[in-house]
Amino acid sequence: MARRNFVHATRTRRGANSTVHGRQAVHAVPTDTRGPGTAATGAPFDRELEDRLLRYVRIDTQSYEKGTTSPSTQEQLDLLRLLEEEAVSIGAHDVRLTEYGALLATIPATVEGDAPCIALLAHVDTAPAYSGTGVKPIVHRRYSGGDIVLPDDPHVVLSPDALPYLAAKRGDDIVTASGTTLLGADDKAGVAIIMTVARHLLGNPQLPHGKIRIAFTPDEEIGRGVHGSLPRDLGADLAYTLDGADLGEVVYETFSADKADVHVEGVSIHPGQAKGKLVNALHLAAKIVATLPHITLTPETTDGREGFIHLYQMSGTASAANLHFIVRDFELDALERHGELIRQVCAAVQATEPRARITCTTAPQYRNMRYWLETDVRPVALAREACTQLGITPICVPIRGGTDGSRLTEMGIPTPNLFTGMQNIHGPQEWISVQDMARAAEVCVKLAELWCREPVAAGPAEGFEARLTATAPALVDWSG
Ligand SMILES: [Zn+2]
């Protein structure tokens, strides 16, 4: 069955493209002086994570939707090259910056045998939605529980009254920006976590794990994080993105996404001679917008498991107009219905004005990773088990968006998304708890250990169903 197949199906991709960069590292990276572990899985990661996060967020890596290169902005390469140096300096193998701007590296297996190869991914870019230039990270050491006022714009206040998650983090070390930029914990927290885990595992070869691949990708925020060559270059049996939010989050359900582009061709003529001749494309475009649902089925009127049709851009003149929609739902049949609704509205408006030409083109963007993960639940079940063993309550919530994991899963590498702690992303109120990041690093170390005990040829492993039942009462666990 599919469960048996997934490891076999992806195994042949392993080992492609490995290049060791022999460059000397120029950046000081903490060496492992902490010994083989103090806590359940390892080490006090807090300081290293904080150092790394602060170092990475200072580099402006905003992606740019109209950029035609990969990465879309050269600045992302500044961080990728720094990470390349750091990966070499901690002793990672096969360090390679691909031509499309993904940094790949290997942590060799410490156990004999043929454990599945897992990959850990994070994206280096920050959202185009808000400035990431000149980020000045601030550590609010042992947060005391009051309002956090950001110095460069005192209007930006993080109040525990408005942010219950922040209220629960009293005593943690909270990192924010200074008020005029985003922080970029999305997803430099993920980058810092993976680098810290890599350093920890490479420095502690007594910790059991199979081969681990790490990948830092560009342009996730503009939907181009998964280059067509990435699955082959990664060569992993399964992967995790470190790009989630609250402590304990294990996300394996994302939207399924289509886009719809509507073009309205009117009839253009000098307005002074237009009577009976002009067909105003803007009026027809407005009619389409007005006919589509407003108080249902829009992002601002839906949540939870409801889908939507979102008009995000319109432009044009009296002679021609364009409407751009994104269409989202968790289920494919509903997604199809939303697309059909746009087509029907276009057809109805077209029928009112035969002289116009209205076309509607829909195209798939990404698909809910659940469709694939349901065929082999181990990537989810083991992530939940890692959390549970560390005393963290796993939370599975569907996310109303996509991740690089959505594409990767579709392309053959099952890739759930794990928490990092990031909060209020894509704006000046973005913040993160260093201690949440540390827990995420511990989960990764534990996961690596759990996977090395898993059979490669999955099959319905002995006891696996029972363990799944014990750790994940329902595969789809909306209640968290
Ligand atoms: Zn992200």
Side-chain angles (χ1 to χ4, degrees), residues 123 125 185-187 220-221 242-244 422 425-426:
H123 64 91
D125 63 317
D186 176 12
D187 184 26
E220 189 267 357
E221 298 287 2
L242 271 293
D243 197 16
M422 66 172 82
I425 57 172
H426 297 195

Side-chain angles (χ1 to χ4, degrees), residues 223-357:
R224 295 189 222 153
V226 179
H227 188 273
S229 300
L230 183 65
R232 186 198 66 215
D233 291 347
L234 206 52
D237 296 313
L238 71 145
Y240 295 94
T241 46
L242 271 293
D243 197 16
D246 295 11
L247 179 71
E249 253 183 35
V250 177
V251 173
Y252 62 93
E253 177 145 63
T254 56
F255 269 146
S256 282
D258 284 354
K259 64 178 181 158
D261 299 313
V262 173
H263 181 71
V264 182
E265 194 84 43
V267 176
S268 178
I269 193 158
H270 189 288
Q273 300 148 12
K275 187 166 185 189
K277 295 174 186 156
L278 174 72
V279 176
N280 191 327
L282 292 172
H283 287 186
L284 295 173
K287 218 186 262 187
I288 292 169
V289 176
T291 308
L292 282 165
H294 290 166
I295 54 169
T296 59
L297 221 56
T298 61
E300 63 271 35
T301 59
T302 51
D303 62 5
R305 292 188 53 74
E306 299 168 312
F308 58 70
I309 296 169
H310 177 43
L311 172 67
Y312 70 94
Q313 193 178 75
M314 62 188 291
S315 60
T317 63
S319 66
N322 290 298
L323 304 172
H324 300 287
F325 299 88
I326 58 171
V327 185
R328 300 288 186 263
D329 209 287
F330 289 101
E331 306 305 334
L332 283 177
D333 52 350
L335 188 74
E336 175 55 30
R337 280 199 302 276
H338 304 329
E340 183 56 28
L341 181 59
I342 301 176
R343 285 190 289 274
Q344 283 173 0
V345 167
C346 287
V349 173
Q350 171 75 78
T352 68
E353 181 46 88
R355 291 173 297 170
R357 215 174 66 238

